[in-house]
Amino acid sequence: MITDTLDRPGRQKRAVSRTPERWIAGVGLGFAALLQGGFTLTINSATRADFDEKIAPALAVAGIAPDGDAYEGARTLAAWFGFALVVMIGLTAIGLFIASRRPARRSTGWWFAGAGLICLVGTQLLLYPVAFFFFLAAALFAVRSTRQGPLE
């Protein structure tokens, strides 16, 4: 509708790019890939001997006393982190695609909010600082105006 793009009669407004939102979501995805993916890769590539020799003592120094079958527990946690990372990558990719194609759509923020929720739930609230990036991107979609100053 042409009236949506008019500031005053004869003066069109320019659509806002969603570059800040896309960058913020990309930074969040980078941190998630580094932290979640790093944990998943480290634990899943470690053998039981490596785990008992290197990782379990590091956990003990950090104040976490591994009891029972800590190796299987860590592998299960790593699998959960990896699955959550894959889902988060998918949601963020959809959000980034829609944000680049249709920057005026405010509903795109829901994809980033979903990625933030998956980050929280998938890491059992450990990566809440990383989830903040996704929630910030979603909030900017909700708050930021989709129109900018007039074309001259």
Side-chain angles (χ1 to χ4, degrees):
M1 201 165 158
I2 198 157
T3 57
D4 290 339
T5 61
L6 292 179
D7 181 22
R8 288 188 227 148
R11 293 179 70 186
Q12 279 192 325
K13 290 177 123 183
R14 191 176 341 170
V16 167
S17 80
R18 295 293 187 171
T19 304
E21 290 90 340
R22 291 182 5 220
W23 270 97
I24 291 169
V27 167
L29 186 61
F31 281 140
L34 180 69
L35 298 172
Q36 280 180 269
F39 179 79
T40 301
L41 185 64
T42 301
I43 296 298
N44 284 336
S45 65
T47 63
R48 176 164 302 267
D50 288 339
F51 183 84
D52 291 338
E53 181 182 323
K54 298 175 185 168
I55 298 172
L59 290 174
V61 167
I64 302 169
D67 58 342
D69 195 7
Y71 177 69
E72 286 303 316
R75 287 182 57 90
T76 303
L77 185 63
W80 179 250
F81 275 25
F83 176 72
L85 180 63
V86 169
V87 172
M88 193 183 337
I89 288 170
L91 290 172
T92 305
I94 291 170
L96 290 173
F97 178 76
I98 295 172
S100 67
R101 298 291 181 221
R102 300 202 184 256
R105 289 186 73 179
R106 290 180 182 253
S107 62
T108 306
W110 287 106
W111 293 102
F112 296 122
L117 285 173
I118 292 295
C119 184
L120 283 177
V121 172
T123 62
Q124 300 173 7
L125 304 178
L126 288 175
L127 290 185
Y128 67 89
V130 174
F132 173 77
F133 287 104
F134 294 111
F135 291 135
L136 180 61
L140 285 175
F141 268 96
V143 175
R144 243 178 104 206
S145 173
T146 58
R147 301 287 171 209
Q148 194 167 301
L151 289 172
E152 304 277 337

